[in-house]
Amino acid sequence: AGIAQREAQMAVLLQPMLAADYCFIIHTVNPVSGDADQVYIELAHGLGEILTSARYRGEPYRLVYAKQRQQAHIKNYASYLWSLHPGDQGVLQAIPVNYQASSLWTQPRQLIALATRLGQVAVSIEAAMGGAQDIEGCVLDGHIHIVQTRPQNVKPDQPDQA
């Protein structure tokens, strides 16, 4: 980055762990198709480790939010067997997911409504940051919490597979 090692500084940000209902990763440019009009959302029950780790088998909910039309649609439903939640002494606890009891699974309109809200937040963050973003966060009691955002590595001319 052009900074001499002795001039480099580090900052540490401490955040409380939230007992999230859902976690998400959002790309403000669809990484599958390269479409800049599509926000690509991956969503799962529980904490974000389920999405970022390869330790757990299954798939997240995958959704696409069209920026111009301001509409979301479902690409696929989640299939993770487990959700992660804070346990005793900070250890994550894996709990089986009961999809039949999940309103996101049984009521697609709720899933689309959440994806629409997440898409709108992502568009606002992208505008504020001045470019495509890779966003991580969670939903707790209906409130969206952004944990981090960073520039998204966008590859031009990707084949359309979305």
Side-chain angles (χ1 to χ4, degrees):
I3 299 173
Q5 184 174 5
R6 66 181 90 94
E7 294 177 23
Q9 298 180 19
M10 182 194 302
V12 176
L13 173 65
L14 300 176
Q15 300 174 337
M17 180 183 289
L18 299 176
D21 300 317
Y22 310 106
C23 58
F24 58 82
I25 296 174
I26 299 174
H27 293 93
T28 62
V29 172
N30 188 325
V32 178
S33 68
D35 189 339
D37 182 53
Q38 292 182 345
V39 173
Y40 185 82
I41 303 164
E42 291 189 338
L43 178 75
H45 294 265
L47 297 173
E49 178 74 12
I50 200 85
L51 289 174
T52 60
S53 167
R55 292 180 45 192
Y56 300 93
R57 297 183 69 171
E59 300 291 327
Y61 296 96
R62 288 196 175 94
L63 308 118
V64 172
Y65 174 78
K67 296 175 186 176
Q68 295 298 318
R69 292 192 321 267
Q70 298 182 6
Q71 294 178 328
H73 69 275
I74 302 166
K75 298 295 281 182
N76 69 271
Y77 283 84
S79 65
Y80 285 116
L81 297 177
W82 307 97
S83 63
L84 299 176
H85 300 273
D88 293 335
Q89 300 172 346
V91 176
L92 295 182
Q93 181 179 12
I95 298 172
V97 177
N98 180 355
Y99 287 106
Q100 293 178 346
S102 169
S103 62
L104 296 186
W105 184 272
T106 61
Q107 300 174 33
R109 287 183 184 167
Q110 286 194 14
L111 180 57
I112 290 171
L114 178 56
T116 300
R117 288 179 55 215
L118 291 171
Q120 292 166 343
V121 167
V123 168
S124 295
I125 292 172
E126 181 181 55
M129 299 305 289
Q133 295 292 299
D134 174 350
I135 304 164
E136 295 179 17
C138 64
V139 179
L140 175 61
D141 297 329
H143 298 283
I144 296 170
H145 299 267
I146 303 301
V147 175
Q148 69 175 7
T149 187
R150 59 183 167 260
Q152 180 182 342
N153 185 10
V154 178
K155 296 177 182 160
D157 302 318
Q158 292 177 326
D160 188 2
Q161 301 170 5

